[in-house]
Amino acid sequence: MGVSSQRPVLLDLLRRHWGYDGFRPLQQEAMEAHLSRRDSIVILPTGGGKSLCFQAPALAMEGTAIVVSPLISLMKDQVDTLRGMGIQAGKLHSGQPVDEARAVGDALRSGDLRLLYVSPERLIMEGFDRITRGAPVSFLAVDEAHCISEWGHDFRKEYRMLAGFREAFPEASIHAYTATATPQVAKDMGAQLGLRKPVTLIGSFDRPNLFYRSEPRGDATLQIRRIAARHRGESGIVYCISRKDTEKIAEELRGAGIDALPYHAGLADEVRATNQDRFINDEVQVIVATIAFGMGIDKPDVRFVVHAGLPKSLENYQQESGRAGRDGLASECVLLHSGADIMKWKHITRDLPAAQLRISNNKLRAVEDYATSFACRRAALLRYFGEGWTQESCGGCDVCAGHPSPVPDSLVVAQKILSCVKRLREEHGPVYTANVLRAADDARIVEAGHHQLSTYGLLRDVTAEVVRGWIAQLSAQGYLLLDGRGEAPLRVTARGWEAIHGRATPQLFQPSARGEEFVEEEVPQNDEWQGVDRDLFEELRILRANLAKDSDLRPYQVFGDRTLREMASVRPSTLAGLGRLYGVGQRKRESYGDAFLAAIRSFCKRRPELPVDVDLEAAPPPRKASGPSPDRVKAQALELLRKGGSVRDVAEVVHRAESTIRGYLVSMIGEENLTDPELWVPASDVKRIRSAAKKLDEYTRLRPIFDHLEGSIPYDHISITLACLRNSRGE
Ligand code: ADP
Ligand code: ZN
């Protein structure tokens, strides 16, 4: 692999059909495994771009690629998307009309189909060979391959039958794809599928475009309104533990003018399906759901995922929050936590057998730690999943961004509150307790003689809201029990006792200064929106929704948000210009190009001050910088470079110019005194550069070497190699 790189062929396919101009990490390697017919196991996070890894090779190879997918909705989504791009694809699953299945069979045998999506039970029912009946098969790609393993969290019996594929098609390679696999599951997948020396590719699970936040839950609806206001008009998912909560929050959000619908297993099938559809089609902004929601939908432009109740494990959290920002644009994940949820989960799991209960409690504890600690959230998540994460600060979570500021003497403050609860004999609720601590004017205090307690007035200088905030934090961190309803009495837990005695240290922070009222905050303009005319963007979204409806597609299958944002900032006036934007492949340009150009033209006529064809001259087309801070982008770029990512690929991933990335790489080589350029430059180039440098005795200027080699080696390679040579010469 690698030596006979198929990169140009694959890049050409990516450009022509998808309108993308580079690979995401590990995509190229994954695709090359298909082309060289080598079995593979590919583990990439949600949104990592797994589908492309098998779709692009399917176009480049003889025969039909068979893709096994567990959910009919996902299968339909992918097949519709492919067809929308002019790629011949079909699907077979149980419960399909006979004539539709027959037509698929005909297309298959005529050799027209590039990809055939099959549900596992259908593959078994028909028998592998009868399905294809002599039609050549290029490879088998198994999506959600962890379903084959009993060790995984989503075992499906039907997947076991895939073991027969190897025998039926000894020539075809088999490729397993999943977003979640522990080493044990990965090994099991290989064994069950009978893989032969598979190439194993494991991506980083970091999702750099997601901003993680954790807040104690107060008035959840108010908190959600604030979040939704930051993403005006854009889609969001709110997860709740109970059905009742989904109904209540959806209703409250509607009352506050936010378009929201509930989704849970208790709704009639029809209602549930309609609500889901309306969300996917952008007809409703927010879906408030139990965790039953989300499997089988691939909506790429979800901009926020809020957990209004604690998830039961970090595995769940990763999966559910991961539904934000699949398209790579900045999105946020907010966890609203409360000690009451821990009690709720403990109640739900109380009848589990002892061993399982222990596991369940440990997982819950991990979620609680994640939510209440003051360590980088991203680091906490990645470490939980076994990824070595060494960065000090990610810049992409509330902790690293310095949002909650820690209270300097947390332990002392906590001790004051906890002792006060004790002195009040654990008979009073948060409001009363806060009043005693603040020496507030409350007749009941004097009546009860509580003004004589030693803890009376200890937090005199602090507002009531802040003290109550701290009480909520102590409860969330397990030092206090707070029922969550009204003025139920507070109680000090065993952990709280430890804190009173100085053996445990709660971490308190200043509650945000925002009050209990909803105040519309300014919509933050992250730099992804730079230059984007929001009004035009809105008009294009409406056009997109209408076009989608006409062709029975999802809006995102017409064009993704990133493409619309580029249209709204570049404002192309020609089809050629439009075709250079992100995500505009040949077929889509033909199908929708004129409609979008007309909309842009009409908008610009109304707003003559707006220039058209902005920056189109500069190749490649403009990339909007992505949301994360510059530091964070740099850190991510360095991380990818260390893993051997090429300058070009890394530039694509982090949406920065190649020159910027080259700069990062060269300074990293200098700072870390690296001497081996072969991670980034082919050995043959290194050799030629080295001998040219030696001959010319030139280790700094690039031009003489470039000229000496008659322009046959890119500047990129020369500057990287020279930086390493300087180090090995001790310069
Ligand atoms: P996964 O299946 O791994 O969750 P998808 O295959 O759904 O991820 O891809 C997520 C999104 O990223 C899709 O909108 C897809 O079109 C887009 N995408 C995939 N590969 C690339 C690429 N190389 N460049 C730009 N966008 C890509
Ligand atoms: Zn962080």
PDB file of all heavy atoms in Angstrom, residues 354-384:
ATOM      1  N   ALA A 354     -26.229  -7.813  40.870  1.00  0.00           N
ATOM      2  CA  ALA A 354     -25.168  -7.066  41.554  1.00  0.00           C
ATOM      3  C   ALA A 354     -24.014  -6.680  40.632  1.00  0.00           C
ATOM      4  O   ALA A 354     -23.565  -5.530  40.642  1.00  0.00           O
ATOM      5  CB  ALA A 354     -24.652  -7.870  42.733  1.00  0.00           C
ATOM      6  N   ALA A 355     -23.543  -7.607  39.814  1.00  0.00           N
ATOM      7  CA  ALA A 355     -22.373  -7.321  38.993  1.00  0.00           C
ATOM      8  C   ALA A 355     -22.672  -6.203  38.000  1.00  0.00           C
ATOM      9  O   ALA A 355     -21.884  -5.265  37.842  1.00  0.00           O
ATOM     10  CB  ALA A 355     -21.928  -8.571  38.251  1.00  0.00           C
ATOM     11  N   GLN A 356     -23.831  -6.291  37.371  1.00  0.00           N
ATOM     12  CA  GLN A 356     -24.206  -5.270  36.393  1.00  0.00           C
ATOM     13  C   GLN A 356     -24.437  -3.921  37.050  1.00  0.00           C
ATOM     14  O   GLN A 356     -24.112  -2.888  36.494  1.00  0.00           O
ATOM     15  CB  GLN A 356     -25.481  -5.684  35.669  1.00  0.00           C
ATOM     16  CG  GLN A 356     -25.210  -6.396  34.368  1.00  0.00           C
ATOM     17  CD  GLN A 356     -26.508  -6.949  33.825  1.00  0.00           C
ATOM     18  OE1 GLN A 356     -26.993  -7.968  34.301  1.00  0.00           O
ATOM     19  NE2 GLN A 356     -27.062  -6.273  32.855  1.00  0.00           N
ATOM     20  N   LEU A 357     -25.014  -3.996  38.247  1.00  0.00           N
ATOM     21  CA  LEU A 357     -25.299  -2.763  38.966  1.00  0.00           C
ATOM     22  C   LEU A 357     -23.995  -2.024  39.263  1.00  0.00           C
ATOM     23  O   LEU A 357     -23.913  -0.799  39.161  1.00  0.00           O
ATOM     24  CB  LEU A 357     -26.037  -3.089  40.267  1.00  0.00           C
ATOM     25  CG  LEU A 357     -26.534  -1.881  41.049  1.00  0.00           C
ATOM     26  CD1 LEU A 357     -27.525  -1.077  40.221  1.00  0.00           C
ATOM     27  CD2 LEU A 357     -27.181  -2.305  42.370  1.00  0.00           C
ATOM     28  N   ARG A 358     -22.961  -2.810  39.603  1.00  0.00           N
ATOM     29  CA  ARG A 358     -21.682  -2.187  39.910  1.00  0.00           C
ATOM     30  C   ARG A 358     -21.145  -1.467  38.666  1.00  0.00           C
ATOM     31  O   ARG A 358     -20.710  -0.327  38.736  1.00  0.00           O
ATOM     32  CB  ARG A 358     -20.690  -3.239  40.399  1.00  0.00           C
ATOM     33  CG  ARG A 358     -19.612  -2.629  41.275  1.00  0.00           C
ATOM     34  CD  ARG A 358     -18.758  -3.651  41.984  1.00  0.00           C
ATOM     35  NE  ARG A 358     -18.310  -4.693  41.092  1.00  0.00           N
ATOM     36  CZ  ARG A 358     -18.593  -5.976  41.235  1.00  0.00           C
ATOM     37  NH1 ARG A 358     -19.336  -6.384  42.232  1.00  0.00           N
ATOM     38  NH2 ARG A 358     -18.127  -6.863  40.384  1.00  0.00           N
ATOM     39  N   ILE A 359     -21.209  -2.153  37.524  1.00  0.00           N
ATOM     40  CA  ILE A 359     -20.736  -1.538  36.282  1.00  0.00           C
ATOM     41  C   ILE A 359     -21.524  -0.272  35.996  1.00  0.00           C
ATOM     42  O   ILE A 359     -20.967   0.780  35.688  1.00  0.00           O
ATOM     43  CB  ILE A 359     -20.881  -2.525  35.095  1.00  0.00           C
ATOM     44  CG1 ILE A 359     -20.003  -3.741  35.353  1.00  0.00           C
ATOM     45  CG2 ILE A 359     -20.519  -1.854  33.781  1.00  0.00           C
ATOM     46  CD1 ILE A 359     -20.136  -4.826  34.326  1.00  0.00           C
ATOM     47  N   SER A 360     -22.848  -0.404  36.134  1.00  0.00           N
ATOM     48  CA  SER A 360     -23.709   0.736  35.837  1.00  0.00           C
ATOM     49  C   SER A 360     -23.394   1.923  36.750  1.00  0.00           C
ATOM     50  O   SER A 360     -23.330   3.067  36.302  1.00  0.00           O
ATOM     51  CB  SER A 360     -25.163   0.277  35.953  1.00  0.00           C
ATOM     52  OG  SER A 360     -25.995   1.337  36.245  1.00  0.00           O
ATOM     53  N   ASN A 361     -23.161   1.639  38.035  1.00  0.00           N
ATOM     54  CA  ASN A 361     -22.841   2.730  38.958  1.00  0.00           C
ATOM     55  C   ASN A 361     -21.496   3.376  38.636  1.00  0.00           C
ATOM     56  O   ASN A 361     -21.340   4.589  38.748  1.00  0.00           O
ATOM     57  CB  ASN A 361     -22.845   2.235  40.410  1.00  0.00           C
ATOM     58  CG  ASN A 361     -24.271   2.061  40.914  1.00  0.00           C
ATOM     59  OD1 ASN A 361     -25.207   2.624  40.338  1.00  0.00           O
ATOM     60  ND2 ASN A 361     -24.445   1.269  41.963  1.00  0.00           N
ATOM     61  N   ASN A 362     -20.543   2.542  38.221  1.00  0.00           N
ATOM     62  CA  ASN A 362     -19.248   3.108  37.848  1.00  0.00           C
ATOM     63  C   ASN A 362     -19.363   4.028  36.642  1.00  0.00           C
ATOM     64  O   ASN A 362     -18.745   5.080  36.584  1.00  0.00           O
ATOM     65  CB  ASN A 362     -18.243   1.998  37.519  1.00  0.00           C
ATOM     66  CG  ASN A 362     -17.759   1.320  38.791  1.00  0.00           C
ATOM     67  OD1 ASN A 362     -17.893   1.875  39.879  1.00  0.00           O
ATOM     68  ND2 ASN A 362     -17.218   0.124  38.652  1.00  0.00           N
ATOM     69  N   LYS A 363     -20.173   3.606  35.696  1.00  0.00           N
ATOM     70  CA  LYS A 363     -20.334   4.424  34.491  1.00  0.00           C
ATOM     71  C   LYS A 363     -20.997   5.751  34.834  1.00  0.00           C
ATOM     72  O   LYS A 363     -20.629   6.799  34.318  1.00  0.00           O
ATOM     73  CB  LYS A 363     -21.145   3.670  33.438  1.00  0.00           C
ATOM     74  CG  LYS A 363     -20.374   2.515  32.822  1.00  0.00           C
ATOM     75  CD  LYS A 363     -21.060   1.995  31.583  1.00  0.00           C
ATOM     76  CE  LYS A 363     -20.391   0.767  31.023  1.00  0.00           C
ATOM     77  NZ  LYS A 363     -19.228   1.036  30.189  1.00  0.00           N
ATOM     78  N   LEU A 364     -21.964   5.663  35.722  1.00  0.00           N
ATOM     79  CA  LEU A 364     -22.679   6.856  36.151  1.00  0.00           C
ATOM     80  C   LEU A 364     -21.724   7.811  36.866  1.00  0.00           C
ATOM     81  O   LEU A 364     -21.754   9.026  36.679  1.00  0.00           O
ATOM     82  CB  LEU A 364     -23.797   6.422  37.092  1.00  0.00           C
ATOM     83  CG  LEU A 364     -25.000   7.319  37.228  1.00  0.00           C
ATOM     84  CD1 LEU A 364     -25.563   7.661  35.864  1.00  0.00           C
ATOM     85  CD2 LEU A 364     -26.069   6.621  38.066  1.00  0.00           C
ATOM     86  N   ARG A 365     -20.868   7.221  37.663  1.00  0.00           N
ATOM     87  CA  ARG A 365     -19.897   8.013  38.402  1.00  0.00           C
ATOM     88  C   ARG A 365     -18.967   8.766  37.450  1.00  0.00           C
ATOM     89  O   ARG A 365     -18.609   9.924  37.670  1.00  0.00           O
ATOM     90  CB  ARG A 365     -19.096   7.066  39.306  1.00  0.00           C
ATOM     91  CG  ARG A 365     -18.193   7.759  40.273  1.00  0.00           C
ATOM     92  CD  ARG A 365     -19.048   8.706  41.081  1.00  0.00           C
ATOM     93  NE  ARG A 365     -18.208   9.647  41.791  1.00  0.00           N
ATOM     94  CZ  ARG A 365     -17.899   9.528  43.078  1.00  0.00           C
ATOM     95  NH1 ARG A 365     -18.387   8.541  43.784  1.00  0.00           N
ATOM     96  NH2 ARG A 365     -17.122  10.416  43.651  1.00  0.00           N
ATOM     97  N   ALA A 366     -18.609   8.078  36.357  1.00  0.00           N
ATOM     98  CA  ALA A 366     -17.733   8.717  35.363  1.00  0.00           C
ATOM     99  C   ALA A 366     -18.418   9.913  34.716  1.00  0.00           C
ATOM    100  O   ALA A 366     -17.802  10.944  34.471  1.00  0.00           O
ATOM    101  CB  ALA A 366     -17.307   7.699  34.307  1.00  0.00           C
ATOM    102  N   VAL A 367     -19.724   9.767  34.473  1.00  0.00           N
ATOM    103  CA  VAL A 367     -20.464  10.888  33.878  1.00  0.00           C
ATOM    104  C   VAL A 367     -20.491  12.052  34.858  1.00  0.00           C
ATOM    105  O   VAL A 367     -20.274  13.212  34.498  1.00  0.00           O
ATOM    106  CB  VAL A 367     -21.923  10.493  33.543  1.00  0.00           C
ATOM    107  CG1 VAL A 367     -22.656  11.677  32.941  1.00  0.00           C
ATOM    108  CG2 VAL A 367     -21.966   9.316  32.604  1.00  0.00           C
ATOM    109  N   GLU A 368     -20.741  11.724  36.128  1.00  0.00           N
ATOM    110  CA  GLU A 368     -20.821  12.757  37.150  1.00  0.00           C
ATOM    111  C   GLU A 368     -19.488  13.500  37.261  1.00  0.00           C
ATOM    112  O   GLU A 368     -19.454  14.731  37.336  1.00  0.00           O
ATOM    113  CB  GLU A 368     -21.161  12.071  38.477  1.00  0.00           C
ATOM    114  CG  GLU A 368     -21.765  12.970  39.496  1.00  0.00           C
ATOM    115  CD  GLU A 368     -21.955  12.231  40.820  1.00  0.00           C
ATOM    116  OE1 GLU A 368     -21.726  10.996  40.875  1.00  0.00           O
ATOM    117  OE2 GLU A 368     -22.325  12.899  41.790  1.00  0.00           O
ATOM    118  N   ASP A 369     -18.402  12.730  37.236  1.00  0.00           N
ATOM    119  CA  ASP A 369     -17.084  13.372  37.311  1.00  0.00           C
ATOM    120  C   ASP A 369     -16.862  14.279  36.109  1.00  0.00           C
ATOM    121  O   ASP A 369     -16.355  15.387  36.231  1.00  0.00           O
ATOM    122  CB  ASP A 369     -15.969  12.322  37.347  1.00  0.00           C
ATOM    123  CG  ASP A 369     -15.889  11.660  38.711  1.00  0.00           C
ATOM    124  OD1 ASP A 369     -16.497  12.193  39.656  1.00  0.00           O
ATOM    125  OD2 ASP A 369     -15.221  10.611  38.816  1.00  0.00           O
ATOM    126  N   TYR A 370     -17.244  13.771  34.951  1.00  0.00           N
ATOM    127  CA  TYR A 370     -17.083  14.565  33.735  1.00  0.00           C
ATOM    128  C   TYR A 370     -17.831  15.900  33.886  1.00  0.00           C
ATOM    129  O   TYR A 370     -17.315  16.963  33.583  1.00  0.00           O
ATOM    130  CB  TYR A 370     -17.631  13.803  32.528  1.00  0.00           C
ATOM    131  CG  TYR A 370     -17.785  14.661  31.293  1.00  0.00           C
ATOM    132  CD1 TYR A 370     -16.717  14.845  30.426  1.00  0.00           C
ATOM    133  CD2 TYR A 370     -18.982  15.324  31.018  1.00  0.00           C
ATOM    134  CE1 TYR A 370     -16.829  15.661  29.304  1.00  0.00           C
ATOM    135  CE2 TYR A 370     -19.112  16.147  29.908  1.00  0.00           C
ATOM    136  CZ  TYR A 370     -18.030  16.311  29.057  1.00  0.00           C
ATOM    137  OH  TYR A 370     -18.160  17.119  27.967  1.00  0.00           O
ATOM    138  N   ALA A 371     -19.059  15.787  34.376  1.00  0.00           N
ATOM    139  CA  ALA A 371     -19.927  16.962  34.402  1.00  0.00           C
ATOM    140  C   ALA A 371     -19.499  17.971  35.450  1.00  0.00           C
ATOM    141  O   ALA A 371     -19.631  19.172  35.247  1.00  0.00           O
ATOM    142  CB  ALA A 371     -21.373  16.536  34.660  1.00  0.00           C
ATOM    143  N   THR A 372     -18.984  17.497  36.576  1.00  0.00           N
ATOM    144  CA  THR A 372     -18.775  18.421  37.685  1.00  0.00           C
ATOM    145  C   THR A 372     -17.324  18.805  37.902  1.00  0.00           C
ATOM    146  O   THR A 372     -17.042  19.679  38.703  1.00  0.00           O
ATOM    147  CB  THR A 372     -19.313  17.815  38.999  1.00  0.00           C
ATOM    148  OG1 THR A 372     -18.641  16.577  39.219  1.00  0.00           O
ATOM    149  CG2 THR A 372     -20.806  17.585  38.921  1.00  0.00           C
ATOM    150  N   SER A 373     -16.406  18.159  37.218  1.00  0.00           N
ATOM    151  CA  SER A 373     -15.010  18.481  37.494  1.00  0.00           C
ATOM    152  C   SER A 373     -14.610  19.740  36.738  1.00  0.00           C
ATOM    153  O   SER A 373     -15.343  20.227  35.891  1.00  0.00           O
ATOM    154  CB  SER A 373     -14.103  17.344  37.076  1.00  0.00           C
ATOM    155  OG  SER A 373     -13.875  17.412  35.698  1.00  0.00           O
ATOM    156  N   PHE A 374     -13.436  20.245  37.048  1.00  0.00           N
ATOM    157  CA  PHE A 374     -12.973  21.439  36.364  1.00  0.00           C
ATOM    158  C   PHE A 374     -11.790  21.148  35.490  1.00  0.00           C
ATOM    159  O   PHE A 374     -10.897  21.952  35.330  1.00  0.00           O
ATOM    160  CB  PHE A 374     -12.691  22.546  37.361  1.00  0.00           C
ATOM    161  CG  PHE A 374     -13.953  23.221  37.698  1.00  0.00           C
ATOM    162  CD1 PHE A 374     -14.795  22.687  38.653  1.00  0.00           C
ATOM    163  CD2 PHE A 374     -14.363  24.318  36.966  1.00  0.00           C
ATOM    164  CE1 PHE A 374     -15.999  23.272  38.905  1.00  0.00           C
ATOM    165  CE2 PHE A 374     -15.577  24.900  37.222  1.00  0.00           C
ATOM    166  CZ  PHE A 374     -16.397  24.388  38.185  1.00  0.00           C
ATOM    167  N   ALA A 375     -11.784  19.940  34.951  1.00  0.00           N
ATOM    168  CA  ALA A 375     -10.706  19.595  34.031  1.00  0.00           C
ATOM    169  C   ALA A 375     -11.250  19.717  32.618  1.00  0.00           C
ATOM    170  O   ALA A 375     -12.454  19.693  32.404  1.00  0.00           O
ATOM    171  CB  ALA A 375     -10.256  18.180  34.315  1.00  0.00           C
ATOM    172  N   CYS A 376     -10.360  19.834  31.668  1.00  0.00           N
ATOM    173  CA  CYS A 376     -10.744  19.942  30.259  1.00  0.00           C
ATOM    174  C   CYS A 376     -11.710  18.810  29.891  1.00  0.00           C
ATOM    175  O   CYS A 376     -11.430  17.644  30.094  1.00  0.00           O
ATOM    176  CB  CYS A 376      -9.491  19.865  29.392  1.00  0.00           C
ATOM    177  SG  CYS A 376      -9.850  19.676  27.643  1.00  0.00           S
ATOM    178  N   ARG A 377     -12.865  19.168  29.367  1.00  0.00           N
ATOM    179  CA  ARG A 377     -13.885  18.141  29.061  1.00  0.00           C
ATOM    180  C   ARG A 377     -13.441  17.235  27.919  1.00  0.00           C
ATOM    181  O   ARG A 377     -13.719  16.049  27.898  1.00  0.00           O
ATOM    182  CB  ARG A 377     -15.195  18.795  28.659  1.00  0.00           C
ATOM    183  CG  ARG A 377     -15.581  19.942  29.546  1.00  0.00           C
ATOM    184  CD  ARG A 377     -16.822  19.686  30.351  1.00  0.00           C
ATOM    185  NE  ARG A 377     -17.094  20.865  31.141  1.00  0.00           N
ATOM    186  CZ  ARG A 377     -17.068  20.909  32.475  1.00  0.00           C
ATOM    187  NH1 ARG A 377     -16.829  19.813  33.163  1.00  0.00           N
ATOM    188  NH2 ARG A 377     -17.302  22.023  33.118  1.00  0.00           N
ATOM    189  N   ARG A 378     -12.799  17.828  26.954  1.00  0.00           N
ATOM    190  CA  ARG A 378     -12.361  17.030  25.812  1.00  0.00           C
ATOM    191  C   ARG A 378     -11.332  15.991  26.261  1.00  0.00           C
ATOM    192  O   ARG A 378     -11.418  14.822  25.916  1.00  0.00           O
ATOM    193  CB  ARG A 378     -11.752  17.957  24.764  1.00  0.00           C
ATOM    194  CG  ARG A 378     -11.384  17.314  23.447  1.00  0.00           C
ATOM    195  CD  ARG A 378     -10.835  18.363  22.496  1.00  0.00           C
ATOM    196  NE  ARG A 378     -11.707  19.519  22.413  1.00  0.00           N
ATOM    197  CZ  ARG A 378     -12.736  19.627  21.582  1.00  0.00           C
ATOM    198  NH1 ARG A 378     -12.994  18.658  20.737  1.00  0.00           N
ATOM    199  NH2 ARG A 378     -13.482  20.705  21.590  1.00  0.00           N
ATOM    200  N   ALA A 379     -10.386  16.446  27.080  1.00  0.00           N
ATOM    201  CA  ALA A 379      -9.368  15.527  27.569  1.00  0.00           C
ATOM    202  C   ALA A 379     -10.039  14.404  28.362  1.00  0.00           C
ATOM    203  O   ALA A 379      -9.689  13.232  28.226  1.00  0.00           O
ATOM    204  CB  ALA A 379      -8.361  16.273  28.437  1.00  0.00           C
ATOM    205  N   ALA A 380     -11.041  14.773  29.185  1.00  0.00           N
ATOM    206  CA  ALA A 380     -11.710  13.767  30.006  1.00  0.00           C
ATOM    207  C   ALA A 380     -12.378  12.719  29.122  1.00  0.00           C
ATOM    208  O   ALA A 380     -12.257  11.512  29.359  1.00  0.00           O
ATOM    209  CB  ALA A 380     -12.736  14.431  30.920  1.00  0.00           C
ATOM    210  N   LEU A 381     -13.055  13.174  28.079  1.00  0.00           N
ATOM    211  CA  LEU A 381     -13.743  12.228  27.189  1.00  0.00           C
ATOM    212  C   LEU A 381     -12.743  11.337  26.470  1.00  0.00           C
ATOM    213  O   LEU A 381     -12.882  10.114  26.444  1.00  0.00           O
ATOM    214  CB  LEU A 381     -14.550  12.989  26.131  1.00  0.00           C
ATOM    215  CG  LEU A 381     -15.935  13.465  26.519  1.00  0.00           C
ATOM    216  CD1 LEU A 381     -16.567  14.218  25.357  1.00  0.00           C
ATOM    217  CD2 LEU A 381     -16.814  12.262  26.880  1.00  0.00           C
ATOM    218  N   LEU A 382     -11.719  11.952  25.884  1.00  0.00           N
ATOM    219  CA  LEU A 382     -10.779  11.167  25.089  1.00  0.00           C
ATOM    220  C   LEU A 382     -10.026  10.168  25.954  1.00  0.00           C
ATOM    221  O   LEU A 382      -9.803   9.038  25.563  1.00  0.00           O
ATOM    222  CB  LEU A 382      -9.815  12.090  24.345  1.00  0.00           C
ATOM    223  CG  LEU A 382     -10.491  12.886  23.221  1.00  0.00           C
ATOM    224  CD1 LEU A 382      -9.534  13.901  22.623  1.00  0.00           C
ATOM    225  CD2 LEU A 382     -11.012  11.950  22.136  1.00  0.00           C
ATOM    226  N   ARG A 383      -9.680  10.595  27.155  1.00  0.00           N
ATOM    227  CA  ARG A 383      -8.946   9.670  28.031  1.00  0.00           C
ATOM    228  C   ARG A 383      -9.847   8.511  28.441  1.00  0.00           C
ATOM    229  O   ARG A 383      -9.400   7.381  28.530  1.00  0.00           O
ATOM    230  CB  ARG A 383      -8.433  10.398  29.269  1.00  0.00           C
ATOM    231  CG  ARG A 383      -7.348  11.369  28.918  1.00  0.00           C
ATOM    232  CD  ARG A 383      -6.391  11.599  30.079  1.00  0.00           C
ATOM    233  NE  ARG A 383      -5.523  12.711  29.737  1.00  0.00           N
ATOM    234  CZ  ARG A 383      -5.649  13.924  30.240  1.00  0.00           C
ATOM    235  NH1 ARG A 383      -6.570  14.181  31.153  1.00  0.00           N
ATOM    236  NH2 ARG A 383      -4.843  14.887  29.872  1.00  0.00           N
ATOM    237  N   TYR A 384     -11.104   8.819  28.657  1.00  0.00           N
ATOM    238  CA  TYR A 384     -12.030   7.745  29.033  1.00  0.00           C
ATOM    239  C   TYR A 384     -12.050   6.674  27.945  1.00  0.00           C
ATOM    240  O   TYR A 384     -12.150   5.487  28.218  1.00  0.00           O
ATOM    241  CB  TYR A 384     -13.430   8.328  29.233  1.00  0.00           C
ATOM    242  CG  TYR A 384     -14.471   7.310  29.648  1.00  0.00           C
ATOM    243  CD1 TYR A 384     -14.576   6.910  30.980  1.00  0.00           C
ATOM    244  CD2 TYR A 384     -15.334   6.742  28.725  1.00  0.00           C
ATOM    245  CE1 TYR A 384     -15.519   5.990  31.374  1.00  0.00           C
ATOM    246  CE2 TYR A 384     -16.284   5.812  29.101  1.00  0.00           C
ATOM    247  CZ  TYR A 384     -16.373   5.439  30.428  1.00  0.00           C
ATOM    248  OH  TYR A 384     -17.314   4.511  30.801  1.00  0.00           O
TER     249      TYR A 384
END
